[in-house]
Amino acid sequence: MNCLVDGNIPPSSGLSSSSALVCCAGLVTLTVLGMNLSKVELAEICAKSERYIGTEGGGMDQSISFLAEEGTAKLIEFSPLRATDVKLPSGAVFVIANSCVEMNKAATSHFNIRVMECRLAAKLLAKYRGLQWDKVLRLEEVQAKLGVSLEEMLGITEDALHPEPYSPEEVCKCLGISLQELQTQILSPNTQDVLVFKPYQRAKHVYSEAARVLRFQKICEEAPDNTVQLLGELMNQSHASCRDLCECSCPELDQLVDICRKFGAQGSRLTGAGWGGCTVSLVPAEKLTSFLANVHEAYYQRSDRNVTFEKQSLFATKPGGGALVFLEAQIM
């Protein structure tokens, strides 16, 4: 195969540029080989493929790349993978703003450390509740096995874990394993030398964030008069959790979120893995023009930030369709 690659997604910006490339490559290869797979199968294969570079990523980016439909957001759920339409409110738009701070997930361990901390939290919670903890990998599994709500899992987290950081030795003591077993059987290669883990904070973030996602869906379904305000509040809570509990924000993202809220966003939060990249803001449609102008002046013009890709740094967006193959018609 000879391939020419082109794209307009800024790299390392938290907008899934790497997943877009992987999904595109997968779809093109299938087409060339004349093979057929469902969108769900393709999404799962592409998610697995990305882990070969050492990043312990999930499958959300790949799923929406294939399952997206124009005009509707999607609630993505796993085990099994499925997508549900979520009708977004009219009268408001989502605006993407790039902090211009690049974060390469594959070149750093930040992202994998968070994944491992969530894995340790899941195992510690499972052991606390008498489950077979050694088979547990994800926080969702603990909730499913216990058959309790997300709110109840937050209470269990409070009882089972302490806010103070855990050392590898303390984790080993709690689980009854050796340091070697922790490093070789649980941790990923680039997290084996980490000296401090924060399972309490990471579990609190994951369970509260999952609850916000379901609350977001419910508000969209019920569509009360103050829908945009309520959704904005959830986005603001989400950013606070990313900043304080997951600790995946950065000063530039926090500044950009504050600027977006100042100039009319009902809610604003980081998007993507964090530590740089973009914010997403919910902006009333009537404020869009002034919002774009004011944010541009306050964040981009008042600094020496690289705005070479001007149109890629600040723009309004709406739900579009998923990955497609366009075949050139040949006239004989």
Side-chain angles (χ1 to χ4, degrees), residues 6-21 98 312 315:
D6 190 20
N8 59 4
I9 307 174
S12 300
S13 63
L15 298 181
S16 310
S17 59
S18 56
S19 294
L21 180 59
N98 193 343
Q312 296 178 16
F315 57 91

Side-chain angles (χ1 to χ4, degrees), residues 277-319:
C278 292
T279 63
V280 58
S281 301
L282 185 60
V283 181
E286 68 273 11
K287 293 183 179 179
L288 178 61
T289 303
S290 63
F291 174 85
L292 293 173
N294 287 326
V295 172
H296 172 75
E297 181 184 355
Y299 188 78
Y300 299 102
Q301 284 191 340
R302 292 184 185 176
S303 71
D304 57 355
R305 291 185 178 90
N306 178 14
V307 284
T308 308
F309 302 107
E310 185 72 36
K311 291 179 182 176
Q312 296 178 16
S313 294
L314 182 65
F315 57 91
T317 185
K318 57 186 177 182

Side-chain angles (χ1 to χ4, degrees), residues 42-43 51 76 186 306 329:
L42 252 178
R51 297 189 191 112
I76 304 287
I186 298 177
N306 178 14

Side-chain angles (χ1 to χ4, degrees), residues 21-286:
L21 180 59
V22 171
C23 291
C24 175
L27 194 54
V28 165
T29 304
L30 272 184
T31 305
V32 169
L33 296 175
M35 296 174 65
N36 282 312
L37 287 175
S38 71
K39 291 180 177 180
V40 167
E41 288 174 310
L42 252 178
E44 289 175 336
I45 287 170
C46 288
K48 183 179 178 182
S49 298
E50 285 203 49
R51 297 189 191 112
Y52 280 100
I53 64 166
T55 302
E56 299 280 341
M60 193 165 57
D61 297 352
Q62 300 83 1
S63 300
I64 197 61
S65 288
F66 287 117
L67 302 174
E69 293 181 57
E70 191 169 348
T72 179
K74 294 283 187 178
L75 170 72
I76 304 287
E77 298 174 277
F78 297 93
S79 305
L81 174 60
R82 57 208 184 278
T84 308
D85 287 358
V86 176
K87 182 175 172 52
L88 296 173
S90 57
V93 293
F94 287 96
V95 177
I96 303 296
N98 193 343
S99 70
C100 300
V101 176
E102 293 192 354
M103 206 297 272
N104 186 338
K105 284 190 293 188
T108 61
S109 60
H110 303 316
F111 186 85
N112 278 7
I113 290 172
R114 295 298 177 275
V115 177
M116 291 305 118
E117 287 175 314
C118 289
R119 182 176 296 176
L120 291 175
K123 290 181 180 296
L124 291 166
L125 289 170
K127 177 143 195 207
Y128 177 79
R129 290 304 298 262
L131 302 175
Q132 192 176 355
W133 63 266
D134 56 323
K135 303 293 185 188
V136 170
L137 291 176
R138 301 189 309 275
L139 287 161
E140 180 270 334
E141 293 175 65
V142 182
Q143 183 201 358
K145 288 178 187 296
L146 292 177
V148 300
S149 68
L150 290 163
E151 288 74 19
E152 287 173 297
M153 281 309 309
L154 285 167
I156 293 169
T157 300
E158 289 283 354
D159 295 338
L161 305 176
H162 57 68
E164 297 77 24
Y166 286 68
S167 67
E169 290 75 17
E170 185 178 3
V171 172
C172 290
K173 184 179 178 182
C174 292
L175 296 177
I177 58 175
S178 68
L179 190 59
Q180 185 180 12
E181 286 173 312
L182 173 67
Q183 292 174 335
T184 58
Q185 296 178 21
I186 298 177
L187 300 179
S188 64
N190 69 340
T191 61
Q192 291 178 1
D193 296 326
V194 175
L195 301 176
V196 171
F197 298 105
K198 295 184 177 181
Y200 169 88
Q201 287 83 353
R202 312 317 181 212
K204 291 262 289 188
H205 170 70
V206 169
Y207 289 129
S208 64
E209 186 78 339
R212 281 187 287 273
V213 169
L214 297 179
R215 175 77 179 132
F216 196 102
Q217 180 196 26
K218 191 167 187 284
I219 293 169
C220 288
E221 284 177 352
E222 295 175 350
D225 292 340
N226 60 339
T227 291
V228 175
Q229 178 194 336
L230 293 174
L231 296 182
E233 288 171 1
L234 287 174
M235 292 174 69
N236 292 336
Q237 291 168 18
S238 178
H239 185 77
S241 185
C242 286
R243 182 192 64 216
D244 301 333
L245 294 176
C246 191
E247 296 179 280
C248 62
S249 189
C250 67
E252 292 85 354
L253 278 173
D254 294 338
Q255 180 194 4
L256 186 51
V257 161
D258 289 342
I259 288 171
C260 289
R261 291 174 188 162
K262 176 182 176 181
F263 290 116
Q266 286 288 322
S268 187
R269 54 154 294 170
L270 65 83
T271 187
W275 296 284
C278 292
T279 63
V280 58
S281 301
L282 185 60
V283 181
E286 68 273 11

